[in-house]
Amino acid sequence: MSSTTIIGIAGGSGSGKTSVTNKIMKNLDGHSVALIEQDFYYKDQSHLTFEERLQTNYDHPFAFDNDLLIQNLKDLKAGKSVEVPTYDYTIHTRSDKKIAFEPKDVIIVEGIFALENETLRDMMDVKIYVDTDADLRILRRLIRDTKERDRTMESVVEQYLNVVRPMHNQFIEPTKKFADIIIPEGGSNKVAIDIMTTKIQALVQKQD
């Protein structure tokens, strides 16, 4: 089996990480590519009461089980298949469902804290930070949460001001300095995505 290229894609909530990820994956057509979302790795909270689970700050690094994510990536690099957990937001803990992943040429790890953990960063061949202005990020989050998650505008704004914004400034924005490339304006930046894809393709061919 050829070596595995690991790509990290980070950025704030609503920055356009998913759009960038999807376009890079589309451009890598012909290679075997897997996407592992960091959100799969929210910690299991089954030992807590439902009321205690409601207090979870999902915008803090401590909410993630990075040890399991790192172990899964090590196994995939070693040519082993893994079972990745999934999270049920309705009960605020892991669900019984798991997703089977097979080793691939390229594994993309996407999440707001993809570049926050040093051990995880050190496993990455390419580190990307999607940098988008705060006003665009809050507007995207507002549209998403009111349309897709049945939230009120007031609750989204309150959460953004009290939790999302301070956590972004404290934990996410500082990880920009670890990025090999910063992509402004997310998925609309075709030139940056094309350059990034060319770099990833060269890495994959070198490791074959």
Side-chain angles (χ1 to χ4, degrees), residues 72 75-76 78-83 100-103:
N72 282 168
D75 287 341
L76 288 166
K80 303 174 186 176
S81 59
V82 300
E83 286 195 332
F101 275 84
E102 299 294 329

Side-chain angles (χ1 to χ4, degrees), residues 75-92:
D75 287 341
L76 288 166
K77 280 181 74 72
K80 303 174 186 176
S81 59
V82 300
E83 286 195 332
V84 171
T86 59
Y87 203 79
D88 187 338
Y89 294 95
T90 63
I91 57 173
H92 299 280

Side-chain angles (χ1 to χ4, degrees), residues 1-6 31-35 76-77 79-80 100-108 204:
M1 163 116 189
S2 61
S3 298
T4 301
T5 300
I6 298 180
H31 298 286
S32 61
V33 185
L35 168 62
L76 288 166
K77 280 181 74 72
K80 303 174 186 176
F101 275 84
E102 299 294 329
K104 301 289 185 181
D105 295 339
V106 180
I107 297 173
I108 297 176
V204 175

Side-chain angles (χ1 to χ4, degrees), residues 36-43 64-65 68-69 72 84-85:
I36 294 183
E37 296 177 31
Q38 196 176 27
D39 286 5
F40 291 154
Y41 291 86
Y42 279 121
K43 288 179 179 174
F64 296 91
D65 186 351
L68 179 58
L69 171 55
N72 282 168
V84 171

